[in-house]
Amino acid sequence: MLNRRAAISALTGANFLLGQGPRPRRPNILVVMTDDQGYGDLSLHGNANLQTPNLDALAKQGAQCTRFHVSPVCSPTRSSLLTGRYNYRTGVVDTFLGRSMMRPTETTIAEMLRPAGYRTGIFGKWHLGDNYPLRPVDQGFDESLVLNGGGIRQPGDPPEALTGKKPSYFDPVLSRNGKWEQTKGYCTDVYFREAMRFMVRRAGRPFFCYLATNAPHTPLEVDEEKVKPFLARGLDETTARVYAMVENIDENMGRMLAFLREQNLEQNTLLVFLSDNGPQQQRFNAGMRGRKGSVYEGGTRVPCFVRWPGVIAPEQSMDRLAAHIDVVPTLLEAAQVKTNVKLDGKSLLPLFREPSKASEWADRKIFLQWHRGDQPEAFRASAVVTQKYKLVDGKELFDLEADPAESRDVAAAHPEVVKDLRQAYELWFTDVGQQGYAPPRIVISKLAPTLLTRQDWRGTQASWDTKGIGHWEVQTAFAGPYTVTLLFSPSEAKRTLEGTWIGKHEIAPGQTKLELKQVKLPILREAKFEASLREGDAARGIDYAYFVP
């Protein structure tokens, strides 16, 4: 009997559990995450100046997680979302200067699902490393169409000198499976369109599709016609642009929901919608304190909707504490896939399936922390969250049930709670930091071109400012030869450019590019690549170094 059922499973894709009859097919999985869309950026949550009918409808078609938390900024959230592990375990501590690159030894949800027969794709924002072996195509994704770095028109974006196109939200140059491609349309429209094409090409296999927009993140580029109605309502320019971008997201979600119905995918697709952190700018945020970058509720509590027709009943409001680390175990249980990876999260599927048992759900502690710097400091910009309490920076205590706006510090009245949460945090902080916080190395090899940008350089003077100077932590796996292209800002004076492996070169006034051919590299497991321009007594770094084998 076992062999017969195994044969049927192999032929049909059905899965059987002995003695319990047929199990549901493995669902398709679609995860949509927006960038800097706050809890209040939905009409569902009381925003009187913004209408999001499609997202509101999606929320009512499944479960709304009303106590769902993420990290205060994007890269840490993304690493936890894709691994089910706290971001400090993954090496991701910040959003730039080499602190947002995830260790390639981490196992993503794509790497967990692909061996089980899933076709995997990512469309939009990755923000966990742009070079081999850190790219989505190196971490389990069959198809990848992503922007570089943390966003379009940031220093991680490919330069116009290499692509022939100035970075823009319109017709953006993106990386398709590791190669630059100029796309057509507004960036959010492109991601949704390409995600739907990916689903059509699934070739009979279940799919995992991760669709991560860079809207409504700055710069606030959007169709001017979409902005005008919000300005007419008396909103300031910034808020009007954000809401125009969110309105575009909602329209795309409407197209996606219609597509799933038309393609007969709706009933067997598990859809998760969430945002990566709170709003970047001051605006309506449903009465919560703080915004992006803060560990108060306004920075970490975000919308999260989960729909799976026939499994998750509609009109659910799930108020149990949940977080980004729970998405992977939830998806794995839904897909009937097991992993040996040590996960920090827990599956929420039992809650969704039997919401009446929510009161029996054991209380838990969620840990959140973020700050600028190469490595974290204990209690700095941290929060420990339980169903009832939140401890901020190891000092302030808030009763979230009585005071969701976090307006009254009750630490003095509950010293035993403060002590318990501090002790739990200290154990967690020691545990997640066992591997240290050194960034993974970018590997310069013959497997792919390497574009070193200010997004990933390191050093005490490293910055996105034109006067910044830094270095890149690399490993050289192939001696070459390479064509090395160096790009930098112009100057009216003569300068000298000098760098690792490339020697010294005179740079003429107005020159912005130096191309070197037949450059040979030593094979090194640990190396630093740095290049700087000297003008008199002043020195500054280059903007890009491009190694092509």
Side-chain angles (χ1 to χ4, degrees):
M1 181 65 72
L2 180 61
N3 290 337
R4 177 174 169 269
R5 287 185 169 177
I8 294 173
S9 177
L11 287 171
T12 66
N15 292 281
F16 295 91
L17 187 63
L18 276 177
Q20 296 185 22
R23 298 174 69 182
R25 287 185 300 151
R26 286 176 171 165
N28 302 304
I29 298 171
L30 170 59
V31 176
V32 179
M33 183 161 72
T34 57
D35 197 349
D36 290 0
Q37 181 179 2
Y39 192 87
D41 292 335
L42 292 160
S43 47
L44 177 75
H45 292 159
N47 193 317
N49 291 306
L50 175 65
Q51 294 301 310
T52 52
N54 297 299
L55 287 169
D56 293 358
L58 172 64
K60 295 174 183 178
Q61 292 165 6
Q64 302 175 45
C65 301
T66 61
R67 292 286 309 281
F68 192 90
H69 285 268
V70 294
S71 296
V73 291
C74 54
S75 287
T77 290
R78 292 164 201 277
S79 67
S80 293
L81 177 76
L82 291 173
T83 66
R85 289 157 55 83
Y86 282 113
N87 60 286
Y88 284 169
R89 295 195 198 279
T90 73
V92 176
V93 300
D94 196 2
T95 62
F96 74 149
L97 302 185
R99 304 167 189 151
S100 66
M101 297 187 292
M102 187 168 71
R103 295 188 184 105
T105 51
E106 288 295 313
T107 306
T108 68
I109 181 66
E111 290 174 295
M112 299 175 196
L113 292 176
R114 189 161 66 172
Y118 276 79
R119 184 161 179 78
T120 57
I122 175 175
F123 304 90
K125 183 170 175 176
W126 168 247
H127 202 182
L128 297 172
D130 298 326
N131 290 292
Y132 175 81
L134 312 173
R135 306 165 300 168
V137 292
D138 308 316
Q139 295 267 207
F141 287 94
D142 295 312
E143 293 194 29
S144 166
L145 184 70
V146 295
L147 56 91
N148 248 29
I152 294 172
R153 289 182 55 191
Q154 291 186 6
D157 229 7
E160 184 178 2
L162 295 181
T163 65
K165 169 73 165 56
K166 184 175 292 187
S168 171
Y169 278 42
F170 295 91
D171 301 337
V173 174
L174 304 172
S175 175
R176 186 185 293 276
N177 300 329
K179 296 181 179 180
W180 302 121
E181 176 182 310
Q182 183 172 345
T183 60
K184 294 294 182 182
Y186 184 65
C187 57
T188 304
D189 300 340
V190 170
Y191 308 144
F192 275 83
R193 181 186 72 217
E194 294 296 323
M196 287 185 273
R197 289 177 177 174
F198 163 77
M199 295 175 197
V200 169
R201 295 192 301 266
R202 66 192 184 278
R205 295 164 56 188
F207 61 75
F208 168 69
C209 181
Y210 175 39
L211 197 168
T213 70
N214 53 290
H217 193 292
T218 56
L220 304 177
E221 287 190 4
V222 65
D223 185 345
E224 296 298 327
E225 292 302 312
K226 288 187 170 294
V227 180
K228 290 178 181 179
F230 294 103
L231 292 174
R233 294 173 198 169
L235 298 175
D236 62 88
E237 177 86 12
T238 296
T239 304
R241 289 185 170 278
V242 169
Y243 286 175
M245 297 171 90
V246 173
E247 184 179 71
N248 172 258
I249 291 169
D250 187 76
E251 291 168 353
N252 273 292
M253 279 302 301
R255 295 186 193 102
M256 177 63 77
L257 296 175
F259 166 83
L260 293 175
R261 286 193 297 273
E262 292 161 2
Q263 295 292 318
N264 295 317
L265 294 170
E266 182 179 61
Q267 293 302 308
N268 200 42
T269 296
L270 171 56
L271 196 164
V272 180
F273 173 86
L274 73 161
S275 179
D276 64 343
N277 45 247
Q280 182 178 11
Q281 306 86 3
Q282 186 67 46
R283 58 181 181 270
F284 174 76
N285 202 19
M288 295 189 294
R289 178 178 178 178
R291 57 183 192 267
K292 177 180 179 178
S294 165
V295 291
Y296 293 111
E297 294 285 281
T300 66
R301 186 175 154 214
V302 299
C304 179
F305 312 141
V306 185
R307 186 187 79 171
W308 190 5
V311 178
I312 299 176
E315 301 284 352
Q316 282 193 45
S317 181
M318 201 277 283
D319 70 348
R320 297 298 91 182
L321 183 64
H324 46 16
I325 54 175
D326 299 327
V327 173
V328 164
T330 302
L331 299 183
L332 290 179
E333 181 176 355
Q336 306 159 43
V337 172
K338 297 186 181 298
T339 180
N340 293 322
V341 176
K342 177 185 177 183
L343 302 178
D344 290 309
K346 58 192 300 185
S347 173
L348 304 176
L349 209 53
L351 276 176
F352 297 148
R353 281 177 164 153
E354 297 185 88
S356 62
K357 295 186 177 180
S359 60
E360 302 172 15
W361 190 257
D363 199 4
R364 61 192 297 206
K365 297 178 178 71
I366 297 292
F367 303 90
L368 305 168
Q369 185 170 7
W370 168 78
H371 62 276
R372 296 294 188 204
D374 287 341
Q375 63 181 35
E377 299 173 15
F379 290 109
R380 179 183 169 195
S382 70
V384 185
V385 192
T386 70
Q387 192 66 32
K388 181 176 178 61
Y389 290 108
K390 176 191 272 188
L391 182 71
V392 174
D393 294 346
K395 302 172 185 177
E396 297 178 300
L397 184 69
F398 300 99
D399 183 338
L400 296 176
E401 293 181 344
D403 177 29
E406 299 171 297
S407 60
R408 299 182 299 276
D409 180 1
V410 296
H414 300 282
E416 74 289 351
V417 176
V418 173
K419 180 181 178 181
D420 174 61
L421 297 183
R422 281 183 62 91
Q423 289 176 341
Y425 169 86
E426 289 169 343
L427 290 172
W428 171 83
F429 188 74
T430 300
D431 181 36
V432 296
Q434 288 183 31
Q435 294 186 66
Y437 300 98
R441 292 185 177 272
I442 296 167
V443 179
I444 302 176
S445 75
K446 61 182 176 181
L447 296 178
T450 300
L451 179 64
L452 303 179
T453 75
R454 291 184 174 222
Q455 165 70 25
D456 294 329
W457 69 353
R458 308 276 292 178
T460 57
Q461 299 182 67
S463 72
W464 285 2
D465 187 88
T466 56
K467 296 181 180 179
I469 186 168
H471 68 271
W472 290 270
E473 301 281 355
V474 301
Q475 175 183 335
T476 53
F478 174 60
Y482 294 87
T483 296
V484 181
T485 304
L486 308 170
L487 301 172
F488 38 85
S489 302
S491 172
E492 296 180 357
K494 290 183 179 180
R495 293 175 292 176
T496 302
L497 189 153
E498 187 172 8
T500 311
W501 309 314
I502 60 174
K504 184 182 292 188
H505 305 270
E506 295 302 316
I507 303 300
Q511 185 176 346
T512 60
K513 176 180 178 180
L514 176 66
E515 184 175 278
L516 306 171
K517 297 184 180 295
Q518 300 295 310
V519 176
K520 298 294 288 283
L521 309 183
I523 303 298
L524 297 169
R525 289 183 59 83
E526 296 184 1
K528 290 182 180 181
F529 176 79
E530 51 191 330
S532 60
L533 293 152
R534 182 163 293 279
E535 183 178 333
D537 294 331
R540 64 181 59 186
I542 61 171
D543 296 323
Y544 299 92
Y546 192 44
F547 291 76
V548 180

